[in-house]
Amino acid sequence: GRSVGIGAYLVRLGQRIIQMKQGPIILTGFAALNKLLGREVYTTNDQLGGLEIMYPNGVTHLEVDNDREGVDAILEWISFVPEKVGAPPA
């Protein structure tokens, strides 16, 4: 799902970002920004933090269709971490 506000900051602190195709990463929603700007500039949250924005800009490293695909990707990435500090990768 989407990640909003402080959750979006926490997502970005990670070394690898996995984003669902239908889950924008945003600090605030499009309606709040439109209100602040005084006119309708944005019509969806995807325009602010959707995959088409985050992936080309290097924020998102992998896109997935669902949570299960995301968990599978995490487990694959973790499999490359050595069991002990200084050991060669698995």
Side-chain angles (χ1 to χ4, degrees), residues 24-26 30 33-34 40-54 57:
I25 299 172
I26 56 175
F30 75 93
L33 286 177
N34 286 341
E40 188 172 309
V41 176
Y42 303 103
T43 57
T44 69
N45 287 328
D46 285 330
Q47 290 176 299
L48 302 172
L51 196 57
E52 66 279 355
I53 301 298
M54 299 306 215
N57 287 314

Side-chain angles (χ1 to χ4, degrees), residues 37-82:
L37 295 170
R39 61 190 177 100
E40 188 172 309
V41 176
Y42 303 103
T43 57
T44 69
N45 287 328
D46 285 330
Q47 290 176 299
L48 302 172
L51 196 57
E52 66 279 355
I53 301 298
M54 299 306 215
Y55 192 78
N57 287 314
V59 174
T60 297
H61 299 97
L62 181 66
E63 65 178 82
V64 296
D65 288 317
N66 54 54
D67 289 335
R68 178 59 193 219
E69 285 183 17
V71 170
D72 288 344
I74 291 168
L75 293 174
E76 181 181 357
W77 284 342
I78 289 174
S79 74
F80 294 104
V81 176

